[in-house]
Amino acid sequence: MELAVVGQGEFVTGFRLAGIKKIYDVVDDELEPTVLKILEDREVGILIMHGDDLNKLPEILRNTINESVEPTVVTLGGSGQSSNLREKIKQSVGVDLWK
């Protein structure tokens, strides 16, 4: 399984420097089709995106992302509600690893 990152230039730069290969540097109008493409990629196990970018997606796609087990979608940063990494791991693995 691979890690994928989608977002605008400043957000994805650090991941690129860390050696992540599946980097999708997008602008707002490219965000939705790119996320859909990543969700269909069977090689991607974890998708990382900025919390504000998640809020830009249509509600139906956000619901799909929130319920997605594979790939597990983790949001970082942003204003408003962000995904809880602990809950995402619990959802994908089925066990709370922090207990």
Side-chain angles (χ1 to χ4, degrees), residues 17-76:
L17 292 171
I20 305 300
K21 295 178 183 169
K22 291 195 178 232
I23 300 288
Y24 301 89
D25 189 350
V26 298
V27 293
D28 288 344
D29 60 331
E30 299 170 336
L31 183 62
E32 182 180 354
T34 303
V35 169
L36 288 170
K37 177 180 149 187
I38 296 168
L39 290 175
E40 293 174 1
D41 186 346
R42 296 289 177 205
E43 293 181 5
V44 175
I46 298 175
L47 169 60
I48 298 175
M49 60 189 306
H50 195 277
D52 290 342
D53 287 340
L54 179 67
N55 293 330
K56 293 176 187 175
L57 297 173
E59 184 177 357
I60 293 173
L61 183 52
R62 284 195 314 262
N63 290 338
T64 301
I65 287 171
N66 287 329
E67 295 172 3
S68 176
V69 173
E70 195 173 301
T72 298
V73 180
V74 177
T75 57
L76 300 175

